[in-house]
Amino acid sequence: MAIKNAYLRELLARVEKRNQGEPEFIQAVTEVLMTLDPVVEKRPDLVEAGVLERIVEPERQIMFRVPWVDDHGKVQVNRGFRVQFNSAIGPYKGGIRLHPSVNLSIIKFLGFEQTFKNSLTTLPMGGGKGGSDFDPKGKSDGEIMRFCQSFMTELSRHIGADCDVPAGDIGTGAREIGFMFGQYKRIRNEFTGVLTGKGLPYGGSLARTEATGFGLCYFTEEMLKANGTSFKGKTVVISGSGNVAIYAAQKATEFGAKVVTMSDSDGYIYDENGIDLACVKQLKEVERKRIKEYLNFHPEAKYTAGCKGVWTVKCDIALPCATQNEIDGESAAILVKNGCIAVSEGANMPSTPEAIEIYLENKLLYGPAKAANAGGVATSGLEMSQNSQRLSWTFEEVDAKLQGIMKSIFKACDEASKTYGMPGNYMAGANIAGFMKVAEAMKAQGCV
Ligand code: NDP
Ligand code: 2IT
């Protein structure tokens, strides 16, 4: 897809110039702008109000030093980020990524995506993202705690339950959220829902742990059903073996599919009998080990070094659940050649532009990240509601609301794709539906 509208082309050129050296951010903006041609034609008032110029520029970007002392008594210094991208429809909301690759470009792309994703959830949440180039791998619990406390010491000045509510992402799970919450409470002397993904004893929501992976499968099942099929009897390839991957594998299996792969940044396992999830949960959630160790319990499974090879495994449905740009054009072509009918994204921006082009050309069912993985942040929104009411809902109540939200997201994508003349292109549908609500709110609030 190419941008036809001259105004959008010129805007993208300005974004490229202003954000040089930030390829992931430019990629995310390009993917949205290239689907907005029909919107700009239908709604010149939004262009007139300068909504597009404003929506591609974060409201605020915070970068800070994170000093901490390691187990050897040595001072370590990381860089912390929080990008408060857009607050038109609610407080900034989005996760915190802890990974050595983190930089401003990655946090900005994630914050930009989050703005549209949160809009699609139907809940009142703006877009934000944070993180650090800290590498949690191989660190002791004490080191993780000292890092999280230092990170929160600075971040606490910038966030709040009605201002900006961070949560988990790569490298940030319940343990890290717990340390960050404790530090925020100590500094601010207040117990509020300032973070989501909290532990159950101190304000966390049931089903938040499962929500992104479950939500991905709820969305994907809707997409499959709308096109006359379902998960039942299908072979599924999943990348990653973290929070999103594990619960996507669980729900896909419950829906009658067979999940045959999981991966980490070292390599992937292939188990033709279907992955033994209890084993993966023990290895990854409890023992924090590498996926390769699966073979100690299932010697009949295969391990291959290098994670890209996972896309060469024959499947009907691919669920990328690791990281950005993990499926390139070459891998997408192999998926198509092997008869894959659907790619649905648990990770954020896991497909390169070349890969997306191949899905669309070959009429694959394509569930774009900002719609397909919105179940995590949607359930974070439900955690915020429970915290504000000072009560908690049952697992079944939260799960039922999550299912309803994922169905409504699919419907919104499907309808927008039809209304704007690109039926079946759920990427365009997600971008347009997510954009419209934020754009209307920005126009109504004037030039801010
Ligand atoms: P986790 O940290 O729990 O797991 C991440 C998984 O992906 C691990 O298996 C990890 O392997 C692998 N991975 C991470 N980075 C890379 C890399 N650069 N190359 C290869 N493999 C990699 O994170 P989550 O499961 O929470 O997040 C996974 C994806 O889902 C991310 O894109 C995240 O932004 C997205 N997401 C997460 C949500 C959530 O609620 N947690 C909500 C919506 C989207 P290793 O252990 O070797 O690093
Ligand atoms: O990318 C995402 O949507 C997340 N990491 C979850 C964010 C959240 O606030 O729950």
mmCIF file of all heavy atoms in Angstrom, residues 166-187:
data_model
loop_
_atom_site.group_PDB
_atom_site.id
_atom_site.type_symbol
_atom_site.label_atom_id
_atom_site.label_comp_id
_atom_site.label_asym_id
_atom_site.label_seq_id
_atom_site.Cartn_x
_atom_site.Cartn_y
_atom_site.Cartn_z
ATOM 1 N N PRO A 166 1.257 3.124 34.303
ATOM 2 C CA PRO A 166 2.080 2.103 33.639
ATOM 3 C C PRO A 166 1.659 0.676 33.993
ATOM 4 O O PRO A 166 0.826 0.455 34.895
ATOM 5 C CB PRO A 166 3.499 2.381 34.149
ATOM 6 C CG PRO A 166 3.460 3.751 34.742
ATOM 7 C CD PRO A 166 2.051 3.922 35.245
ATOM 8 N N ALA A 167 2.261 -0.287 33.295
ATOM 9 C CA ALA A 167 1.956 -1.717 33.488
ATOM 10 C C ALA A 167 3.134 -2.533 32.965
ATOM 11 O O ALA A 167 4.209 -1.987 32.728
ATOM 12 C CB ALA A 167 0.681 -2.069 32.717
ATOM 13 N N GLY A 168 2.926 -3.828 32.761
ATOM 14 C CA GLY A 168 4.001 -4.698 32.279
ATOM 15 C C GLY A 168 4.166 -4.672 30.768
ATOM 16 O O GLY A 168 3.320 -4.180 30.034
ATOM 17 N N ASP A 169 5.275 -5.195 30.328
ATOM 18 C CA ASP A 169 5.580 -5.446 28.909
ATOM 19 C C ASP A 169 6.781 -6.406 28.933
ATOM 20 O O ASP A 169 7.032 -7.037 29.977
ATOM 21 C CB ASP A 169 5.899 -4.138 28.161
ATOM 22 C CG ASP A 169 5.898 -4.320 26.637
ATOM 23 O OD1 ASP A 169 4.818 -4.381 26.039
ATOM 24 O OD2 ASP A 169 6.984 -4.419 26.038
ATOM 25 N N ILE A 170 7.539 -6.492 27.876
ATOM 26 C CA ILE A 170 8.694 -7.399 27.865
ATOM 27 C C ILE A 170 9.580 -7.124 29.082
ATOM 28 O O ILE A 170 9.947 -5.977 29.345
ATOM 29 C CB ILE A 170 9.513 -7.226 26.563
ATOM 30 C CG1 ILE A 170 8.721 -7.736 25.357
ATOM 31 C CG2 ILE A 170 10.857 -7.962 26.666
ATOM 32 C CD1 ILE A 170 9.415 -7.533 24.027
ATOM 33 N N GLY A 171 9.897 -8.165 29.828
ATOM 34 C CA GLY A 171 10.817 -8.045 30.962
ATOM 35 C C GLY A 171 10.192 -7.472 32.222
ATOM 36 O O GLY A 171 10.849 -7.391 33.259
ATOM 37 N N THR A 172 8.942 -7.056 32.147
ATOM 38 C CA THR A 172 8.252 -6.519 33.327
ATOM 39 C C THR A 172 7.010 -7.361 33.586
ATOM 40 O O THR A 172 6.059 -7.327 32.806
ATOM 41 C CB THR A 172 7.830 -5.044 33.119
ATOM 42 O OG1 THR A 172 8.982 -4.295 32.742
ATOM 43 C CG2 THR A 172 7.241 -4.454 34.388
ATOM 44 N N GLY A 173 7.061 -8.128 34.669
ATOM 45 C CA GLY A 173 5.915 -8.956 35.064
ATOM 46 C C GLY A 173 5.517 -8.616 36.491
ATOM 47 O O GLY A 173 5.856 -7.537 37.006
ATOM 48 N N ALA A 174 4.842 -9.549 37.136
ATOM 49 C CA ALA A 174 4.292 -9.289 38.472
ATOM 50 C C ALA A 174 5.389 -8.919 39.476
ATOM 51 O O ALA A 174 5.196 -8.040 40.322
ATOM 52 C CB ALA A 174 3.528 -10.513 38.950
ATOM 53 N N ARG A 175 6.553 -9.567 39.372
ATOM 54 C CA ARG A 175 7.627 -9.267 40.336
ATOM 55 C C ARG A 175 8.054 -7.794 40.229
ATOM 56 O O ARG A 175 8.127 -7.079 41.241
ATOM 57 C CB ARG A 175 8.830 -10.180 40.036
ATOM 58 C CG ARG A 175 10.045 -9.884 40.890
ATOM 59 C CD ARG A 175 11.221 -10.795 40.558
ATOM 60 N NE ARG A 175 11.631 -10.721 39.147
ATOM 61 C CZ ARG A 175 12.763 -11.257 38.664
ATOM 62 N NH1 ARG A 175 13.576 -11.920 39.458
ATOM 63 N NH2 ARG A 175 13.070 -11.146 37.383
ATOM 64 N N GLU A 176 8.295 -7.338 39.018
ATOM 65 C CA GLU A 176 8.772 -5.958 38.821
ATOM 66 C C GLU A 176 7.684 -4.946 39.197
ATOM 67 O O GLU A 176 7.965 -3.916 39.812
ATOM 68 C CB GLU A 176 9.215 -5.750 37.358
ATOM 69 C CG GLU A 176 10.461 -6.528 36.950
ATOM 70 C CD GLU A 176 10.246 -8.042 36.788
ATOM 71 O OE1 GLU A 176 9.083 -8.472 36.607
ATOM 72 O OE2 GLU A 176 11.238 -8.792 36.857
ATOM 73 N N ILE A 177 6.439 -5.242 38.793
ATOM 74 C CA ILE A 177 5.332 -4.331 39.127
ATOM 75 C C ILE A 177 5.209 -4.221 40.650
ATOM 76 O O ILE A 177 4.988 -3.137 41.206
ATOM 77 C CB ILE A 177 4.005 -4.813 38.485
ATOM 78 C CG1 ILE A 177 4.073 -4.723 36.957
ATOM 79 C CG2 ILE A 177 2.800 -4.036 39.037
ATOM 80 C CD1 ILE A 177 4.114 -3.332 36.369
ATOM 81 N N GLY A 178 5.385 -5.331 41.354
ATOM 82 C CA GLY A 178 5.313 -5.316 42.820
ATOM 83 C C GLY A 178 6.361 -4.381 43.414
ATOM 84 O O GLY A 178 6.041 -3.530 44.269
ATOM 85 N N PHE A 179 7.594 -4.498 42.963
ATOM 86 C CA PHE A 179 8.666 -3.622 43.487
ATOM 87 C C PHE A 179 8.385 -2.153 43.150
ATOM 88 O O PHE A 179 8.611 -1.263 43.968
ATOM 89 C CB PHE A 179 10.025 -4.033 42.912
ATOM 90 C CG PHE A 179 10.520 -5.390 43.373
ATOM 91 C CD1 PHE A 179 11.271 -6.205 42.526
ATOM 92 C CD2 PHE A 179 10.263 -5.839 44.666
ATOM 93 C CE1 PHE A 179 11.741 -7.452 42.952
ATOM 94 C CE2 PHE A 179 10.736 -7.082 45.096
ATOM 95 C CZ PHE A 179 11.477 -7.896 44.239
ATOM 96 N N MET A 180 7.896 -1.913 41.952
ATOM 97 C CA MET A 180 7.621 -0.519 41.552
ATOM 98 C C MET A 180 6.457 0.050 42.359
ATOM 99 O O MET A 180 6.496 1.203 42.793
ATOM 100 C CB MET A 180 7.321 -0.442 40.050
ATOM 101 C CG MET A 180 8.539 -0.694 39.186
ATOM 102 S SD MET A 180 8.127 -0.565 37.436
ATOM 103 C CE MET A 180 9.557 -1.343 36.696
ATOM 104 N N PHE A 181 5.428 -0.767 42.569
ATOM 105 C CA PHE A 181 4.256 -0.301 43.329
ATOM 106 C C PHE A 181 4.662 0.042 44.761
ATOM 107 O O PHE A 181 4.273 1.088 45.304
ATOM 108 C CB PHE A 181 3.150 -1.362 43.318
ATOM 109 C CG PHE A 181 1.894 -0.909 43.996
ATOM 110 C CD1 PHE A 181 1.012 -0.049 43.364
ATOM 111 C CD2 PHE A 181 1.593 -1.322 45.290
ATOM 112 C CE1 PHE A 181 -0.151 0.385 43.994
ATOM 113 C CE2 PHE A 181 0.430 -0.896 45.925
ATOM 114 C CZ PHE A 181 -0.441 -0.037 45.279
ATOM 115 N N GLY A 182 5.468 -0.852 45.361
ATOM 116 C CA GLY A 182 5.909 -0.614 46.739
ATOM 117 C C GLY A 182 6.656 0.703 46.865
ATOM 118 O O GLY A 182 6.446 1.479 47.814
ATOM 119 N N GLN A 183 7.512 0.973 45.903
ATOM 120 C CA GLN A 183 8.308 2.204 45.959
ATOM 121 C C GLN A 183 7.441 3.448 45.742
ATOM 122 O O GLN A 183 7.609 4.460 46.413
ATOM 123 C CB GLN A 183 9.438 2.140 44.903
ATOM 124 C CG GLN A 183 10.386 3.321 44.909
ATOM 125 C CD GLN A 183 11.327 3.328 46.105
ATOM 126 O OE1 GLN A 183 11.162 2.569 47.061
ATOM 127 N NE2 GLN A 183 12.322 4.186 46.065
ATOM 128 N N TYR A 184 6.480 3.357 44.828
ATOM 129 C CA TYR A 184 5.579 4.490 44.575
ATOM 130 C C TYR A 184 4.790 4.818 45.843
ATOM 131 O O TYR A 184 4.662 5.975 46.243
ATOM 132 C CB TYR A 184 4.613 4.162 43.434
ATOM 133 C CG TYR A 184 3.671 5.301 43.106
ATOM 134 C CD1 TYR A 184 4.042 6.292 42.199
ATOM 135 C CD2 TYR A 184 2.427 5.408 43.715
ATOM 136 C CE1 TYR A 184 3.197 7.349 41.904
ATOM 137 C CE2 TYR A 184 1.571 6.467 43.435
ATOM 138 C CZ TYR A 184 1.970 7.435 42.528
ATOM 139 O OH TYR A 184 1.129 8.489 42.246
ATOM 140 N N LYS A 185 4.281 3.765 46.472
ATOM 141 C CA LYS A 185 3.474 3.941 47.693
ATOM 142 C C LYS A 185 4.313 4.586 48.794
ATOM 143 O O LYS A 185 3.866 5.464 49.511
ATOM 144 C CB LYS A 185 2.970 2.556 48.137
ATOM 145 C CG LYS A 185 2.046 2.556 49.338
ATOM 146 C CD LYS A 185 1.323 1.222 49.470
ATOM 147 C CE LYS A 185 2.277 0.056 49.687
ATOM 148 N NZ LYS A 185 2.990 0.091 50.972
ATOM 149 N N ARG A 186 5.557 4.168 48.900
ATOM 150 C CA ARG A 186 6.418 4.726 49.951
ATOM 151 C C ARG A 186 6.726 6.202 49.688
ATOM 152 O O ARG A 186 6.644 7.031 50.595
ATOM 153 C CB ARG A 186 7.734 3.928 50.008
ATOM 154 C CG ARG A 186 8.698 4.464 51.045
ATOM 155 C CD ARG A 186 9.767 3.455 51.390
ATOM 156 N NE ARG A 186 10.676 3.261 50.267
ATOM 157 C CZ ARG A 186 11.878 2.697 50.380
ATOM 158 N NH1 ARG A 186 12.298 2.247 51.543
ATOM 159 N NH2 ARG A 186 12.645 2.563 49.347
ATOM 160 N N ILE A 187 7.019 6.521 48.435
ATOM 161 C CA ILE A 187 7.382 7.910 48.117
ATOM 162 C C ILE A 187 6.181 8.844 48.221
ATOM 163 O O ILE A 187 6.264 9.921 48.788
ATOM 164 C CB ILE A 187 7.996 7.996 46.700
ATOM 165 C CG1 ILE A 187 9.350 7.300 46.683
ATOM 166 C CG2 ILE A 187 8.121 9.436 46.233
ATOM 167 C CD1 ILE A 187 9.966 7.184 45.295
#
